[in-house]
Amino acid sequence: NLCIRNDHKLMKKLLILLFSLLISVNSYGDEITSIFEITLYDNAEDYFSSTYIDSNRFKNTETIEGYFDLDVSDKIKSKSPYFSTYKITIDDDNKVHSIYGHYEYTNLDICQAVHKSLMPELEEKYQFESEYDEASYPTFKIIGNYYWTASNNYLALQCKENYSDNSVISQMMLDSLDFSDAVYKFYDSGL
């Protein structure tokens, strides 16, 4: 009887452990909150001095109000070989709402070829499956993959082609839901 009771306890512990592992594996991909060693919703002053922030922030051009961009290319510690320019978007309280990196390519084909090899690596690292999308805007078009996390953060790897000069940039971004909504409202405001 003692053996049965111990087996039952052991089985219960194993089931709890297995259940915990399944939850952690599933939630790992759902909760992507940082890239380039910067985390969404953190205060930008955790990474950069308030003097640097106040002197270098500028109005975000894809929102109506309340958001500011900050070029952090020279300040960022965790650089990627896939991106050369980095910025964050902050609100009035310096809370990080977007983390962004980009790299300029000579044409769309090269950008898409790089993304074709990079996207599977991102999906494996962060344990998610992205969706493909193409979208046209008044001055540019976007071709790439995106993923909405369980907490509604938006992760995207895209090629952006500007109509005016046919320049192409590869861009990776992680946006908060609030910032994503503000960008949507900006593009929807004239309709």
Side-chain angles (χ1 to χ4, degrees):
N1 200 358
L2 183 59
C3 287
I4 293 173
R5 197 175 300 146
N6 284 339
D7 286 346
H8 184 328
K9 285 182 182 180
L10 180 60
M11 186 64 95
K12 187 175 180 180
K13 285 181 181 180
L14 286 173
L15 285 172
I16 290 170
L17 178 63
L18 179 61
F19 183 71
S20 297
L21 286 172
L22 287 173
I23 289 174
S24 68
V25 167
N26 287 336
S27 63
Y28 178 69
D30 292 340
E31 295 307 322
I32 302 167
T33 58
S34 66
I35 57 174
F36 313 129
E37 293 186 0
I38 298 175
T39 302
L40 286 179
Y41 307 108
D42 279 0
N43 189 311
E45 292 175 36
D46 293 346
Y47 306 97
F48 314 103
S49 73
S50 58
T51 304
Y52 181 78
I53 294 168
D54 293 342
S55 300
N56 293 286
R57 75 182 199 167
F58 53 96
K59 173 152 180 4
N60 178 276
T61 59
E62 291 186 302
T63 57
I64 296 169
E65 62 185 354
Y67 292 98
F68 304 90
D69 290 335
L70 181 66
D71 186 328
V72 296
S73 299
D74 294 335
K75 303 279 186 191
I76 198 161
K77 295 174 186 167
S78 181
K79 295 189 179 190
S80 165
Y82 294 98
F83 305 101
S84 59
T85 303
Y86 301 86
K87 75 175 185 179
I88 59 172
T89 303
I90 56 177
D91 63 15
D92 289 322
D93 297 322
N94 291 337
K95 185 188 287 187
V96 176
H97 283 274
S98 178
I99 308 153
Y100 173 89
H102 88 252
Y103 185 86
E104 197 165 328
Y105 286 96
T106 55
N107 64 54
L108 188 58
D109 291 337
I110 295 172
C111 183
Q112 289 182 297
V114 171
H115 285 199
K116 188 175 181 179
S117 64
L118 183 57
M119 197 68 217
E121 291 179 31
L122 286 171
E123 289 177 334
E124 184 177 328
K125 178 179 180 178
Y126 293 110
Q127 297 296 301
F128 70 91
E129 288 186 33
S130 66
E131 295 185 42
Y132 179 80
D133 189 35
E134 293 184 23
S136 293
Y137 297 91
T139 59
F140 62 90
K141 74 176 171 182
I142 298 284
I143 300 167
N145 293 71
Y146 70 93
Y147 174 72
W148 287 97
T149 70
S151 56
N152 290 316
N153 298 326
Y154 175 77
L155 177 70
L157 179 65
Q158 306 168 332
C159 295
K160 176 182 176 184
E161 183 175 39
N162 294 300
Y163 298 136
S164 61
D165 59 4
N166 292 326
S167 63
V168 175
I169 61 170
S170 166
Q171 55 187 21
M172 182 173 172
M173 66 199 67
L174 180 61
D175 297 342
S176 71
L177 177 61
D178 290 339
F179 180 67
S180 295
D181 285 345
V183 170
Y184 177 77
K185 285 176 188 171
F186 172 78
Y187 282 104
D188 198 40
S189 64
L191 300 177

